[in-house]
Every structure is written in structure tokens, then in C-alpha cells.
Amino acid sequence: MVRHMRRFAAVLAGTLAAALLSLGTAGSASAAPKPAPAGVEITGVGLSAPLRLHADTEPALVGAVIDQVNFLARTGMPAGPKAADLGPKYTVVVLAGDTPKQTYDLYPRAVGGPRVYRPAKQPDGRKTSAGWFLGRLSMSETLRTAGVPLERQLDTVSGGVGGGERVLPEDTLDPAKDLDEALGDLQRLLLLNVGVMVTITVGLAGIALLVRRRTR
């Protein structure tokens, strides 16, 4: 009997200990601080003070700005365009709350299309390689919508993952102009063919005449 009582007490003690441990774990989990909301800070030409956006108040804008740099590969091009071809520079710092985590230099008006430069030294101390990347075509409009003083670009449209597409110039969508050009090309081709045929015919006639005279 005593042995059974001792065994029951040991089991009861183990059960209570497990219950207390689970309560303590649950309490510590509920007391764990929530992760800081994401955000971005933008500085550059035309901005007298840093432009800060937080995901808890402006999630769409923050997501659009981060989308300009979240597709970069591990390795970029070692050299970018000439300094004179880069245009205005805007530095985007990705934040966790108020803590800077990543930084990128954006050039929305670079010759040949937007460019992104990722410095090797990052605020969070992570290891990465410096490199240049082709940016999304929607970069300029995204920054302008976020509050950067850039003129609106009518030759781009905002897009999804692909970053948008160039809009074709209106003259490329003119069927009458395309038809006129096609007919003009066809006419020039026919005239060229006629000229070639006339030259060949005259040449053959001359050869035939020469052969006829020699055979007499």
C-alpha cells in the first residue's frame, strides 16, 4: 500500500510540474514582443528631409517601394553606367520599426532604364556583395507616388512582379501608316525587279544578235 501511495505521489508531482511548465511557456509566449513593423526611409534629390513610411500606416506604399529591391540576385554587375548617365539618386533604407536593416541606391532616370546599386556594407551587418542591377520600369512612378518630387512619366505603367511595361508610341499603332510603308516598300521592290529583268533581257538580246552575226 505504501509503495502504491509513493508511486501515485510521484506521478502527481510530475503531472503538476508539467502543467506549471506549460503555463510558464504560454505566459512567456504571450508576453513576447511583436515584431517591429516594416518601413522605408527615402533620401535624395529634392527631399529636404528623409521621407519615412511605415507598413502599419501605409502598407501599400511600403510594399511598392520594397518591391523595387526585393528581387535582386546575390551577384550583380560589377560596374554601372557612367556617372553622367545615372540621373538623380535616391537612397532607400529598409527599416524594422526604426532600425535600419538594408540600404540601396536607386536611379529611376538612368540612361537605358532604371538602375539599382546595392552597397556591400549593410546596416544590419549581413554579408553581401556590391553590385549593379537593372531596376523595374515602374521605379520612377513608385517613388513619385511615395512622395519623391519626380515628374510623372507617361511612357510607363505600373505593373505587378514584372514592374510594368513600356507603352508603345502612338505612331507604332497607326495601321494606315504601316500600310503606306508596306506599299511603298513593295513598289520599290517591283521597280527593282523590273529593272533587273529589263537589263537581263537587253543583255540576252545583245548576245543573241552577236551570235547571229558571227554565224552568217
Side-chain angles (χ1 to χ4, degrees):
M1 184 67 178
V2 175
R3 182 181 300 175
H4 288 296
M5 291 296 293
R6 289 178 179 177
R7 183 177 300 176
F8 177 75
V11 172
L12 180 60
T15 303
L16 291 175
L20 291 175
L21 180 60
S22 62
L23 289 175
T25 304
S28 61
S30 61
K34 295 182 179 180
V40 292
E41 180 182 273
I42 307 173
T43 57
V45 178
L47 293 172
S48 58
L51 176 64
R52 281 204 172 192
L53 306 171
H54 289 285
D56 54 351
T57 56
E58 297 171 296
L61 289 178
V62 172
V65 174
I66 293 178
D67 186 57
Q68 299 298 317
V69 297
N70 67 354
F71 66 96
L72 304 183
R74 292 185 178 182
T75 305
M77 293 176 287
K82 298 178 181 179
D85 296 336
L86 286 174
K89 168 186 171 182
Y90 296 95
T91 299
V92 172
V93 178
V94 180
L95 307 170
D98 292 326
T99 304
K101 293 293 185 179
Q102 303 169 24
T103 183
Y104 305 89
D105 295 332
L106 274 59
Y107 300 88
R109 299 294 173 85
V111 175
R115 294 291 194 278
V116 179
Y117 175 71
R118 181 181 61 201
K121 185 177 181 180
Q122 293 291 314
D124 60 358
R126 64 190 178 94
K127 293 183 179 180
T128 187
S129 58
W132 288 87
F133 303 87
L134 292 173
R136 298 197 189 281
L137 295 179
S138 58
M139 182 186 295
S140 181
E141 280 300 288
T142 297
L143 293 177
R144 187 187 67 83
T145 304
V148 174
L150 287 168
E151 294 183 4
R152 186 173 185 179
Q153 283 190 316
L154 298 180
D155 62 338
T156 61
V157 293
S158 59
V161 176
E165 299 176 339
R166 291 282 183 187
V167 177
L168 294 176
E170 292 183 0
D171 56 359
T172 63
L173 302 178
D174 187 355
K177 180 177 179 181
D178 293 340
L179 182 59
D180 291 341
E181 291 180 355
L183 290 176
D185 292 339
L186 180 59
Q187 184 179 10
R188 287 190 292 271
L189 179 61
L190 290 175
L191 290 175
L192 179 61
N193 288 337
V194 170
V196 172
M197 291 300 297
V198 170
T199 301
I200 293 175
T201 302
V202 172
L204 291 176
I207 294 173
L209 181 61
L210 181 60
V211 170
R212 184 177 181 182
R213 286 180 179 179
R214 288 186 176 182
T215 56
R216 284 182 180 180

